[in-house]
Amino acid sequence: MLSIKKTLLVPILFTAVLVLASCAATNPNASSNNTTRTTGFDTALADSILKIGLDNEALYTLISDIKPMSSLIGFTLPFEIDSVELIKGHALNLEKKAKYVEKIKRYTEVLEALDTQDLDFVMVPFRMVSDSTKSFQVNVIRKSRMDEVINSHLDFFAYMGIVPGTDPGIVLSTVENQEQILRLRAYGYLFGYPDYAVDFFVEAYHQGKQTKSFVERDFFQIPVFSSKTGHFVYAMPKGHTPTETDSTLYRRALTVLDRYRNIRSTYFNADSTFQSLKLIRELGN
């Protein structure tokens, strides 16, 4: 079993509909980019995970503080559940599933080694119920920005026992186990969406539950390296005219993205592998 710091639950619904960060500086403290190395550290796995994040919305967490939290990668394991055995405390046949359990251990070790002064890496088993599979997601959290967001909405987070300085793993596990209306707002803040967008999404969810109808909406898109749309995006009221908040966020994100685009090609090795760790340290300085 993974530690609570590394084993959490994150809502799929909210991350699929919104994706963005509130206004923040684009240069995190350099000390947060000193990625830790340990004996036997799997550099290849770390670099491959981080490259996916850099090419997508996690760029705005890994080398800037625009997004307090971002998703990196996801994967699914064939974990069939025998309900009779589960009651007895045997959720898995370890002999048959040994290689998958080893994969979880391998990822956990890498994520623990990647944790730095200001970045936390958390592997999340989704709460989705399935008799045959279990889905996981790896997230990165910039702790200083998470603390800022929690402090800005302390009247909301303190109700759940969350205050600045609370371990990110505890924050996410606590939030995930709240009722949906609280989960949506909490994750909206933690993923860094503008307050008005969080308000709209939560209210639209509530209205939809009451009326059994979908509330129409538009979306504000911010590009990432892999795509101009569909990754860094949040919902806003139908017909809403973007404000200075949206425009400032867009410009700050483009500054980070342009910087990444300009130096990305120089971090490829001869075998086409990518030096993600090195880039994160150097680009954050």
Side-chain angles (χ1 to χ4, degrees), residues 93-117:
N93 183 319
L94 288 181
E95 183 176 349
K96 292 182 178 179
K97 302 298 180 182
K99 68 179 181 179
Y100 302 117
V101 175
E102 286 303 314
K103 179 174 183 175
I104 295 175
K105 290 181 178 179
R106 180 185 174 207
Y107 273 64
T108 300
E109 291 171 357
V110 167
L111 299 179
E112 289 282 359
L114 284 174
D115 283 348
T116 66
Q117 179 180 344

Side-chain angles (χ1 to χ4, degrees), residues 100 113 130-131 155 160 163 170 203 225 240 244 247 259:
Y100 302 117
S130 171
D131 292 331
D155 58 337
M160 295 177 279
V163 296
I170 295 175
E203 292 164 6
F225 181 83
H240 175 76
E244 184 58 28
S247 298
R259 189 180 179 204

Side-chain angles (χ1 to χ4, degrees), residues 56-94:
N56 293 288
E57 61 270 21
L59 174 73
Y60 302 114
T61 302
L62 288 166
I63 66 169
S64 91
D65 56 5
I66 289 178
K67 286 178 96 302
M69 172 177 166
S70 294
S71 300
L72 288 171
I73 63 167
F75 59 92
T76 299
L77 300 179
F79 281 173
E80 300 86 1
I81 299 298
D82 184 322
S83 58
V84 174
E85 290 299 309
L86 181 61
I87 293 174
K88 298 177 182 179
H90 308 299
L92 295 175
N93 183 319
L94 288 181

Side-chain angles (χ1 to χ4, degrees), residues 110-178:
V110 167
L111 299 179
E112 289 282 359
L114 284 174
D115 283 348
T116 66
Q117 179 180 344
D118 203 32
L119 291 179
D120 238 16
F121 293 82
V122 180
M123 185 162 63
V124 177
F126 282 122
R127 196 173 61 181
M128 292 185 301
V129 177
S130 171
D131 292 331
S132 60
T133 63
K134 190 68 176 177
S135 296
F136 296 78
Q137 184 164 287
V138 174
N139 296 325
V140 57
I141 297 99
R142 184 164 290 281
K143 291 182 285 187
S144 59
R145 280 290 293 127
M146 177 175 279
D147 283 347
E148 288 176 6
V149 168
I150 291 171
N151 192 56
S152 295
H153 301 283
L154 193 57
D155 58 337
F156 173 74
F157 284 102
Y159 166 75
M160 295 177 279
I162 296 171
V163 296
T166 301
D167 182 272
I170 295 175
V171 171
L172 298 186
S173 59
T174 300
V175 166
E176 176 59 24
N177 288 284
Q178 302 299 313

Side-chain angles (χ1 to χ4, degrees), residues 17 200-201 203-205 207-208 211 213-219 235-240:
V17 180
F200 166 72
F201 189 78
E203 292 164 6
Y205 166 80
Q207 182 179 332
T211 64
S213 60
F214 180 75
V215 177
E216 294 294 323
R217 63 202 66 189
D218 288 329
F219 296 93
M236 56 187 182
K238 189 70 176 178
H240 175 76

